[in-house]
Amino acid sequence: MANIQATDAGKHKMSAAHRVEHALIEEISAGELLPGVRLDEVGLAHRFGVSRTPVREALSRLTAQGVLVPGEKRGAFVAEYSREQLSQIFEAMHEIEAACARIAAQRLSLLARSEIETAQGDCMKAAEAGDRVAYLRANEAFHLTIYKATGNPYIAEIASEFRRRTGPFRAKKFQTREDLIGSAQSHQTLIDDIFSEDSNTASKGMRDHMTNSFMQTLRVN
Amino acid sequence: MANIQATDAGKHKMSAAHRVEHALIEEISAGELLPGVRLDEVGLAHRFGVSRTPVREALSRLTAQGVLVPGEKRGAFVAEYSREQLSQIFEAMHEIEAACARIAAQRLSLLARSEIETAQGDCMKAAEAGDRVAYLRANEAFHLTIYKATGNPYIAEIASEFRRRTGPFRAKKFQTREDLIGSAQSHQTLIDDIFSEDSNTASKGMRDHMTNSFMQTLRVN
DNA sequence: ACTTTTCTTTTTGTATACAAAATTATTGGG
DNA sequence: CCCAATAATTTTGTATACAAAAAGAAAAGT
């Protein structure tokens, strides 16, 4: 459960430690840093042009957040998960996503509706264009609008964290243009369920959507 | 979402940074460090007999986990919550706890049953004795047995984290021996629901239990 | 008396050095 | 050739010094 208060970025120059932390999170999410990869303090310090101190801080923070795992005796590694662990994460994620859908359906504002629809429009556009990178980004943004619609930053953050951590694994199921279009189309069903404003319909809709997503993900991991 | 991998404690001497981190977590959970209190790097370094470096690391990790919040420009403070925020946390917690109860009911092992019953026995003992400190500890332990019964470390950890963070606020509702006994007795209803092995019964039982707990907590905060 | 400016102190973030622990490479013996 | 011992190298954790930023206190101005 990470800190959800605003970071300093808007008010002050971001510290080196935070820059390194965010850069690593981005790389992990983008699949550029693969699970199991060892992170090297000295190498990172050299690469970011800073001393080991801020690098150590960034690595330590990421370890505290579970994004990295410590080696048995030394080193920090990008967290990797067995299929067993992945399925456990998905089970937890399943519950959280269903809860988010339920709460979102209960307190859907016009603004939230609009944001969800706009995000879905972006998904459809990227899928039609067969633009995988854009679709990955749009897909994540779409789900974030649902979390935001809950009006509850705490549960939204948990859902977001799960999404970030499983991102590289889930991304593997989006290979062809057909994959993208299928995913984007399934969003529409989900939206209808949430916009029904019926808690159980929304919750069930999200469970179905995520079950499908997880099954596909486990197929390719 | 914190790191749930085992720490080094069992294999090696714990680093100073981890010692400080754990000590602070304990003090916050015990209500010795109150919400809103500012943590002073230099003072803590002096108190723990180490340099600022491991203290900074501990504070940074706790900030990454949301246990502490950064001041606008400087300082780290024990996170405090308005009633509004508390109720949002409880809403999220409500969902997580209900999910834990549902999953636990679905996969209840004999060992898990035994552990839950033992923990409840400890609760009853502490309550009858009017021993507030012991009850607080036993109550937390009781809930942890339910999380463990889910067999899913990820959702268990989220639930545990919420429990840790709201601990000081929830503890305020346990003032008299009657409070303790009432709480311990409500566990029995909850146990029956979970031991029914019916998902919906367990889920609803937990929702009721937590709703009651939250209402009481908001009354005294 | 109040406000602004200047000075001082405190806090923060970082670089660097050092020591200890862990790992790897090399050497010598069977 | 294999294994054990030793040496060298790398990694980790920490202490300390330094500079910059922020806050507080004191002095000067209106």
Side-chain angles (χ1 to χ4, degrees), chain A residues 1-6 8 11-12 18 21 53 56-57 59-73 79-81 84-89 91-92 95-96 98-99 102-103 106-107 150-155 158 161-162 165 207, chain B residues 1-6 8 11-12 18 21 53 56-57 59-73 79-81 84-89 91-92 95-96 98-99 102-103 106-107 150-155 158 161-162 165 207:
Chain A
M1 189 189 302
N3 182 10
I4 63 169
Q5 309 269 356
D8 289 337
K11 297 183 180 179
H12 309 281
H18 278 276
E21 180 185 352
T53 309
R56 286 183 56 79
E57 179 169 332
L59 295 185
S60 188
R61 288 174 65 88
L62 291 173
T63 302
Q65 291 165 75
V67 176
L68 304 180
V69 293
E72 288 207 351
K73 299 207 174 156
E80 61 186 333
Y81 304 104
E84 173 70 27
Q85 286 170 320
L86 263 187
S87 68
Q88 285 179 327
I89 296 182
E91 180 179 59
E95 298 293 336
I96 307 297
R102 184 183 314 122
I103 297 171
Q106 284 170 355
R107 59 180 60 142
T150 63
N152 185 319
Y154 300 97
I155 201 162
I158 293 175
E161 286 246 7
F162 269 129
R165 287 176 65 173
R207 282 181 186 277
Chain B
M1 191 189 299
N3 182 10
I4 64 170
Q5 308 268 359
D8 287 337
K11 296 185 181 178
H12 308 282
H18 279 276
E21 180 185 353
T53 309
R56 285 184 57 79
E57 180 169 330
L59 295 184
S60 188
R61 288 174 64 89
L62 290 174
T63 303
Q65 291 166 76
V67 176
L68 303 181
V69 292
E72 287 208 350
K73 299 208 173 155
E80 62 185 332
Y81 304 104
E84 173 69 28
Q85 287 170 319
L86 263 186
S87 69
Q88 285 179 326
I89 296 181
E91 181 180 58
E95 298 292 337
I96 306 296
R102 184 183 313 124
I103 297 172
Q106 284 170 358
R107 58 182 61 147
T150 64
N152 185 320
Y154 299 96
I155 201 162
I158 294 175
E161 286 245 7
F162 269 130
R165 286 177 69 173
R207 282 182 186 276

Side-chain angles (χ1 to χ4, degrees), chain B residues 18-204:
Chain B
H18 279 276
R19 273 196 290 111
V20 173
E21 180 185 353
H22 292 168
L24 293 180
I25 287 181
E26 286 285 332
E27 289 180 28
I28 292 170
S29 298
E32 291 164 34
L33 266 184
L34 296 178
V37 168
R38 183 174 173 281
L39 296 180
D40 166 37
E41 285 180 11
V42 177
L44 287 173
H46 188 256
R47 177 180 145 200
F48 286 95
V50 296
S51 75
R52 275 177 56 227
T53 309
V55 169
R56 285 184 57 79
E57 180 169 330
L59 295 184
S60 188
R61 288 174 64 89
L62 290 174
T63 303
Q65 291 166 76
V67 176
L68 303 181
V69 292
E72 287 208 350
K73 299 208 173 155
R74 47 167 46 190
F77 299 80
V78 180
E80 62 185 332
Y81 304 104
S82 62
R83 286 167 55 84
E84 173 69 28
Q85 287 170 319
L86 263 186
S87 69
Q88 285 179 326
I89 296 181
F90 289 155
E91 181 180 58
M93 204 171 164
H94 208 237
E95 298 292 337
I96 306 296
E97 294 273 351
C100 286
R102 184 183 313 124
I103 297 172
Q106 284 170 358
R107 58 182 61 147
L108 209 45
S109 65
L110 289 181
L111 179 60
R113 277 179 179 252
S114 172
E115 285 176 346
I116 290 172
E117 287 188 335
T118 299
Q120 170 63 353
D122 293 341
C123 287
M124 289 303 309
K125 219 174 296 180
E128 297 285 357
D131 186 341
R132 182 173 185 271
V133 173
Y135 187 75
L136 288 176
R137 193 175 298 121
N139 184 44
E140 298 310 295
F142 168 72
H143 282 273
L144 295 196
T145 60
I146 295 174
Y147 305 155
K148 190 174 166 191
T150 64
N152 185 320
Y154 299 96
I155 201 162
E157 180 56 27
I158 294 175
S160 298
E161 286 245 7
F162 269 130
R163 189 153 279 277
R164 264 196 303 274
R165 286 177 69 173
T166 55
F169 303 94
R170 288 183 293 100
K172 288 183 190 171
K173 68 181 189 284
F174 297 124
Q175 297 300 333
T176 67
R177 181 165 172 273
E178 279 65 47
D179 293 336
L180 309 188
I181 290 179
S183 174
Q185 285 179 340
S186 71
H187 285 171
Q188 197 53 53
T189 306
L190 180 57
I191 289 175
D192 293 340
D193 289 337
I194 293 173
F195 283 10
S196 76
E197 300 187 25
D198 176 66
S199 296
N200 292 330
T201 301
S203 178
K204 181 161 192 314

Side-chain angles (χ1 to χ4, degrees), chain A residues 27-215:
Chain A
E27 289 181 28
I28 292 169
S29 298
E32 292 164 32
L33 267 184
L34 297 178
V37 167
R38 184 174 171 281
L39 298 179
D40 165 40
E41 285 181 14
V42 177
L44 287 173
H46 189 256
R47 176 179 147 202
F48 286 96
V50 296
S51 74
R52 274 175 57 226
T53 309
V55 169
R56 286 183 56 79
E57 179 169 332
L59 295 185
S60 188
R61 288 174 65 88
L62 291 173
T63 302
Q65 291 165 75
V67 176
L68 304 180
V69 293
E72 288 207 351
K73 299 207 174 156
R74 45 162 53 191
F77 298 79
V78 180
E80 61 186 333
Y81 304 104
S82 63
R83 287 167 55 84
E84 173 70 27
Q85 286 170 320
L86 263 187
S87 68
Q88 285 179 327
I89 296 182
F90 289 155
E91 180 179 59
M93 203 172 167
H94 207 235
E95 298 293 336
I96 307 297
E97 294 276 349
C100 285
R102 184 183 314 122
I103 297 171
Q106 284 170 355
R107 59 180 60 142
L108 209 45
S109 66
L110 288 183
L111 180 60
R113 275 178 180 254
S114 173
E115 286 176 346
I116 290 172
E117 288 189 333
T118 298
Q120 170 63 354
D122 293 341
C123 287
M124 289 304 306
K125 217 174 298 180
E128 297 286 357
D131 186 341
R132 183 174 184 271
V133 173
Y135 187 75
L136 289 176
R137 194 175 298 119
N139 184 45
E140 299 309 292
F142 168 74
H143 282 273
L144 295 197
T145 59
I146 295 175
Y147 305 156
K148 191 175 168 192
T150 63
N152 185 319
Y154 300 97
I155 201 162
E157 180 57 27
I158 293 175
S160 298
E161 286 246 7
F162 269 129
R163 189 153 279 278
R164 266 198 300 274
R165 287 176 65 173
T166 55
F169 304 95
R170 289 184 292 100
K172 288 186 193 171
K173 68 181 186 285
F174 299 125
Q175 296 300 330
T176 66
R177 183 165 171 271
E178 279 67 49
D179 293 335
L180 308 188
I181 290 177
S183 173
Q185 286 178 341
S186 70
H187 286 173
Q188 198 51 54
T189 305
L190 180 57
I191 289 175
D192 293 339
D193 288 336
I194 293 173
F195 284 9
S196 76
E197 299 188 24
D198 176 68
S199 297
N200 291 332
T201 301
S203 176
K204 180 158 192 317
M206 182 59 94
R207 282 181 186 277
D208 291 345
H209 180 76
M210 298 313 299
T211 295
N212 200 38
S213 175
F214 297 151
M215 294 304 290

